[in-house]
Amino acid sequence: MDAQASSLGTAAELSPYRLFSRAEWAALRADTPLTLGADDIAKLQSLNDPISLDEVVAIYLPLSRLLSLYVAATQGLFKATQRFLLAEDGKVPYIIGLAGSVSAGKSTTARVLKALLARWPNTPKVEIVTTDGFLLPNAELQRLGLMERKGFPESYDGAKLIRFLSAVKAGEHKVKAPIYSHLVYDIVPDQNIVIDRPDILIFEGLNVLQPPRLPRGGQPVPFVSDFFDFSIYLDAEESLLRTWYVKRFMRLRETAFRDPQSFFRKYAEIGDDEALATANGLWDRINLANLRENVLPTRPRANLILRKGADHRIEEVALRKL
């Protein structure tokens, strides 16, 4: 555990978090039933991000139980507020923000949570949206000289992202979000996914917990996290994140990179040594820089921190005190 992470556990009486070991957190499952099988789990995991049935039982079942309680409480508060205001607005989705580094396993975590939460009776409709769709198109990034800053805060269409979340949180029907293709490494023109008032929206991305720069004039600036009801940060040591990134890169050379349409096809055609050097260079130059400058500093803003160990297992859970 690095110094920053261990600081969560120092001076426990002053920390905003309550820490749980893996075993302590697993005990909070109580009688929550396991509704996923091994085949379901295999379909939910991402490339080079293994997850076992034991991980689901120990970590994600207790988390789904906690989130179900939070959602139910929020739904009750919303109804009470509606009665007070004599309003008849429709339901408002509960939004969960999911942050963390490249290669931390956010996509797998989002899909597992979606599968579990959709099985609770008060939240049958759960959707996932990633911030990738809100990246500026490659042509615009090239014009601005930002292709090597892709994934950094300045590479996103922040206004479009805020408008999307605002519409979802306002309970609007059929809100559109852009689609991003990891194959061509770009926004797919004229294609969208439609979010139609889900019970829960899981909003996943590198920088979803980062506040914008405050203006000098004092005018209001909305944060992405202003629209979240709950937030999760998926954490791991830098050395592990590098290892997982490089392993994924090398595996993609044998799979997706070989597709003729792949933006990264050139990396499938070079030797292993050159590919390894390329992967480490990309990590150091782009992903590690973004992690240190923008992603990791947002960790203390999360309601829940899931700390991964070397084998991708969650070893520690930090839950913000109410």
Side-chain angles (χ1 to χ4, degrees):
M1 182 179 298
D2 60 35
Q4 287 177 300
S6 62
S7 67
L8 293 174
T10 60
E13 70 279 3
L14 302 178
S15 171
Y17 290 96
R18 180 175 177 182
L19 298 182
F20 299 86
S21 67
R22 181 181 178 88
E24 290 169 337
W25 183 258
L28 300 176
R29 171 193 174 183
D31 58 353
T32 305
L34 176 60
T35 54
L36 299 176
D39 290 342
D40 299 314
I41 299 301
K43 294 175 183 176
L44 295 172
Q45 65 184 9
S46 300
L47 182 68
N48 206 47
D49 183 28
I51 186 169
S52 65
L53 208 56
D54 175 68
E55 185 79 345
V56 173
V57 171
I59 303 299
Y60 292 101
L61 279 182
L63 179 52
S64 76
R65 179 183 174 222
L66 175 70
L67 288 171
S68 179
L69 292 171
Y70 278 23
V71 173
T74 301
Q75 289 173 339
L77 178 60
F78 176 77
K79 291 177 182 177
T81 303
Q82 293 296 86
R83 289 194 297 270
F84 173 78
L85 296 174
L86 302 177
E88 296 182 357
D89 297 342
K91 69 178 182 181
V92 173
Y94 189 93
I95 301 182
I96 299 170
L98 176 58
S101 171
V102 167
S103 75
K106 297 186 298 298
S107 297
T108 296
T109 293
R111 288 194 288 266
V112 171
L113 281 178
K114 175 182 177 180
L116 291 172
L117 291 169
R119 286 162 169 78
W120 287 90
N122 62 321
T123 56
K125 188 177 181 181
V126 183
E127 301 287 355
I128 299 172
V129 170
T130 73
T131 57
D132 293 341
F134 297 92
L135 285 162
L136 295 170
N138 283 356
E140 182 67 6
L141 291 174
Q142 289 168 347
R143 186 185 71 80
L144 297 170
L146 292 175
M147 279 299 288
E148 286 258 320
R149 302 282 289 180
K150 199 167 189 177
F152 285 67
E154 61 268 29
S155 66
Y156 293 90
D157 187 336
K160 181 182 288 187
L161 198 157
I162 291 293
R163 285 196 299 269
F164 168 78
L165 287 172
S166 180
V168 170
K169 203 59 179 171
E172 292 186 14
H173 286 281
K174 298 182 179 179
V175 183
K176 294 180 179 180
I179 292 177
Y180 183 84
S181 168
H182 287 276
L183 180 66
V184 301
Y185 196 57
D186 203 355
I187 302 298
V188 181
D190 303 319
Q191 291 191 30
N192 299 279
I193 58 173
V194 177
I195 303 300
D196 192 11
R197 299 174 76 182
D199 300 297
I200 296 175
L201 174 65
I202 300 172
F203 195 66
E204 177 247 300
L206 294 168
N207 301 305
V208 295
L209 295 178
Q210 186 177 43
R213 292 182 179 179
L214 296 177
R216 293 184 179 275
Q219 55 267 52
V221 177
F223 294 12
V224 169
S225 58
D226 287 345
F227 299 93
F228 296 164
D229 297 285
F230 192 87
S231 56
I232 301 168
Y233 186 97
L234 198 56
D235 195 26
E237 292 181 6
E238 286 182 2
S239 59
L240 294 176
L241 293 168
R242 173 195 290 273
T243 297
W244 298 338
Y245 174 80
V246 171
K247 283 184 177 179
R248 184 176 68 180
F249 183 93
M250 299 301 283
R251 287 189 63 187
L252 285 169
R253 293 180 66 242
E254 304 301 322
T255 53
F257 288 179
R258 294 189 177 275
D259 190 304
Q261 297 184 64
S262 175
F263 180 86
F264 298 103
R265 180 165 175 77
K266 60 184 177 182
Y267 297 133
E269 299 170 349
I270 61 178
D272 287 349
D273 290 344
E274 186 180 354
L276 194 61
T278 298
N280 278 290
L282 289 170
W283 173 260
D284 288 333
R285 194 169 64 252
I286 301 174
N287 297 305
L288 180 58
N290 198 16
L291 172 63
R292 290 177 173 175
E293 293 173 21
N294 302 302
V295 182
L296 188 59
T298 70
R299 182 176 60 187
R301 304 190 70 232
N303 297 109
L304 185 83
I305 301 171
L306 300 175
R307 178 74 170 174
K308 279 190 169 185
D311 55 1
H312 286 268
R313 282 166 37 110
I314 305 296
E315 301 294 350
E316 183 182 65
V317 177
L319 177 64
R320 184 174 290 276
K321 300 170 185 175
L322 295 178

